Amino acid sequence: MPTSAAPIPNRSAEDIIALRRQHLNPSLSMSYRQPLKMVRGAGAYLYDQDGHAYLDMVNNVCHVGHCHPTVVAAGQAQMAQLNTNTRYLHDNIVEYAQRLSATFPAELSVVFLTNSGTEANDLALRIAKTYTQANDVIVVDHAYHGNSPTMIELSPYKFDGKGGRGRPPHIQVAEIPDDYRGRFRKEDPKAGVHYADDLHCAIAAIRARGEKPAAFYCESVLGCGGQVVLPAGYLQAAYAHAHAAGAVCIADEVQVGFGRAGDYFWAFEAQGVIPDIVTMGKPIGNGHPMGAVVTRPEIAQAFMTGMEYFNTFAGNPVSCAIGLAVLDVIQQEGLQAHAKQVGDFLLHGLNEMKKNHALIGDVRGTGLFIGVELVRDHASLEPATAEANAVIEFLKAHRILLSTDGPHDNVLKLKPPMVFSMNNAQEFLMRLDQALSQIS
């Protein structure tokens, strides 16, 4: 007779907070002044212990919707049959590699599987260093590429933030291409090219150390930098500078890949470039821990040094079954086109709202990845940080979950599950209008 798992007590929020403080990592944060206890998810909603539904506008991990039945069933079926490592032959891993690589330009055809976006970015760095035989890296200011020690070293968001140790010598930081509050603004058609020219300074600093650049990392749309859409021409010019110096170009698609950008399946496509390496995570498994690196064959071949890349869990049959189900759902439910339709509606509504609310300084985004920057003054661009956080609490009180980001923590970040509907968008716009009216 099969054994049954011991039941887990149904604790109060207060008891859970107390136990977290006693037994969990003390740096583990919680959202909101009064944290929420969530017990269920479905589609674009999370449900608390009292059954209240909260519209989730910040979870880009559950890409095709919380607990999507197709994805859940795929994982359950494979888990009941077999889960093992990649040293045994299995159809799922080759099917997934084939299906995933088919979404990329033909030049990007070799897949490495990992368990997270952090692992993907970490592996991409190993591959880049092996291929170039160089060590130094160029990153964009305020970027975040993962939580491993190596990725913290590549993330100004962390090493220049609270508790950070500052920039390591082998990392050079390029100017953030923010055409709202940066040196070059939206009205400058060459803003992207001008921002890319800052790579010359980074490359010169590397050469002054007697080193060579191994890689240039850039998110295809900047996340922690404040939901910043790269100015036109930025990646073309930046990649040209990096390649001329011998570096490979790595597109971090951990936040914005898999159709979220709306017009494109991969956000780098909007810039008219083909990276040397692409990394992905978060939405790839709809909440299941999974990540991937896709690269050119010649770069993958250079990684064949005799040291095997083996990852116990990466590429296992269950993960690949889930990854395949996510790709199926995106295609069968038309979620990329849906992201464009609803995203365009949101951008239009937010720009209309901007006319009536002085707190809104800038609206930017692509598909269902949108930022609303709040400022106290349109000339000085003084960040409205306190007001942004007040908006978050107002929306939470009306059961809409949102968060803030950006160097000044004043950007409302919208990155809901891709099943976020037009009705959801209308509800959000109504509540945001109420929040801004009350706060101003």
Side-chain angles (χ1 to χ4, degrees):
M1 189 159 179
T3 58
S4 58
I8 298 173
N10 182 15
R11 300 180 175 91
S12 68
E14 293 73 21
D15 285 344
I16 293 173
I17 291 170
L19 287 167
R20 282 172 64 113
R21 288 172 176 163
Q22 182 179 356
H23 294 294
L24 293 181
N25 161 17
S27 69
L28 200 61
S29 65
M30 293 174 278
S31 296
Y32 305 109
R33 286 196 290 266
Q34 290 185 318
L36 295 164
K37 179 184 177 182
M38 295 302 185
V39 298
R40 187 168 69 89
Y45 289 91
L46 288 171
Y47 296 83
D48 70 11
Q49 73 274 23
D50 298 315
H52 298 134
Y54 287 78
L55 180 59
D56 185 356
M57 293 192 62
V58 75
N59 197 330
N60 63 336
V61 176
C62 292
H63 190 63
V64 299
H66 291 279
C67 304
H68 193 290
T70 300
V71 179
V72 171
Q76 288 174 330
Q78 184 58 55
M79 193 178 295
Q81 190 174 59
L82 173 72
N83 200 23
T84 186
N85 63 54
T86 54
R87 290 199 169 116
Y88 298 101
L89 300 182
H90 200 277
D91 289 309
N92 286 10
I93 187 170
V94 292
E95 181 67 15
Y96 186 71
Q98 181 174 259
R99 288 274 306 280
L100 181 66
S101 62
T103 67
F104 285 94
E107 293 88 340
L108 298 167
S109 60
V110 182
V111 176
F112 295 76
L113 293 173
T114 69
N115 300 302
S116 69
T118 293
E119 279 194 5
N121 276 325
D122 202 77
L123 177 60
L125 181 60
R126 282 182 57 196
I127 294 169
K129 286 184 174 183
T130 303
Y131 178 71
T132 61
Q133 292 296 292
N135 183 65
D136 287 27
V137 181
I138 303 167
V139 296
V140 174
D141 202 8
H142 216 73
Y144 174 61
H145 294 294
N147 59 38
S148 69
T150 305
M151 289 300 105
I152 294 297
E153 289 186 344
L154 261 65
S155 301
Y157 175 72
K158 290 294 186 181
F159 67 63
D160 278 339
K162 292 179 181 178
R165 296 184 177 182
R167 179 182 63 82
H170 64 286
I171 304 299
Q172 299 298 327
V173 178
E175 184 176 7
I176 186 171
D178 182 346
D179 61 6
Y180 174 64
R181 62 169 58 245
R183 286 192 301 150
F184 308 103
R185 303 295 174 85
K186 296 180 192 295
E187 58 271 14
D188 182 352
K190 294 287 189 181
V193 174
H194 295 325
Y195 279 118
D197 284 344
D198 194 55
L199 264 72
H200 287 305
C201 298
I203 292 165
I206 290 169
R207 287 175 173 159
R209 280 174 22 87
E211 299 288 346
K212 297 182 296 182
F216 167 58
Y217 270 78
C218 187
E219 297 166 274
S220 301
V221 183
L222 309 186
C224 291
Q227 315 294 100
V228 175
V229 177
L230 301 175
Y234 175 75
L235 282 186
Q236 282 191 348
Y239 279 16
H241 297 325
H243 283 148
V248 298
C249 297
I250 300 173
D252 182 332
E253 291 267 344
V254 170
Q255 294 238 39
V256 294
F258 292 92
R260 178 168 290 277
D263 284 315
Y264 302 97
F265 199 79
W266 303 106
F268 67 77
E269 296 176 278
Q271 290 274 314
V273 296
I274 299 176
D276 300 301
I277 302 174
V278 182
T279 61
M280 61 213 80
K282 292 190 190 298
I284 190 171
N286 209 52
H288 180 82
M290 191 175 178
V293 175
V294 175
T295 190
R296 301 172 185 266
E298 65 271 22
I299 294 176
Q301 187 61 38
F303 198 55
M304 296 288 293
T305 63
M307 179 188 291
E308 180 189 16
Y309 168 68
F310 174 73
N311 186 321
T312 302
F313 299 110
N316 70 74
V318 171
S319 294
C320 291
I322 288 171
L324 284 165
V326 171
L327 292 176
D328 286 340
V329 172
I330 293 170
Q331 181 180 23
Q332 292 166 12
E333 298 186 9
L335 293 183
Q336 181 182 338
H338 178 77
K340 176 171 173 53
Q341 180 188 21
V342 180
D344 285 351
F345 177 80
L346 279 169
L347 287 167
H348 175 76
L350 290 165
N351 276 303
E352 288 298 304
M353 197 179 300
K354 179 181 174 182
K355 299 173 183 177
N356 301 317
H357 293 287
L359 271 175
I360 298 180
D362 191 41
V363 174
R364 52 190 180 248
T366 177
L368 285 175
F369 196 81
I370 295 171
V372 183
E373 181 154 0
L374 304 187
V375 296
R376 293 174 180 166
D377 182 90
H378 283 241
S380 68
L381 305 186
E382 179 188 356
T385 302
E387 292 87 343
N389 284 282
V391 168
I392 298 306
E393 290 292 340
F394 179 97
L395 292 174
K396 180 230 180 183
H398 290 84
R399 297 181 186 153
I400 297 176
L401 305 177
L402 206 61
S403 187
T404 58
D405 227 327
H408 306 286
D409 199 31
N410 67 320
V411 180
L412 308 178
K413 58 179 178 181
L414 285 60
K415 46 178 190 171
M418 295 272 278
V419 292
F420 186 82
S421 70
M422 201 68 81
N423 286 338
N424 295 150
Q426 290 170 338
E427 178 188 358
F428 164 70
L429 291 171
M430 177 193 71
R431 291 300 187 190
L432 179 60
D433 185 53
Q434 292 174 349
L436 294 171
S437 297
Q438 176 176 302
I439 290 162
S440 61

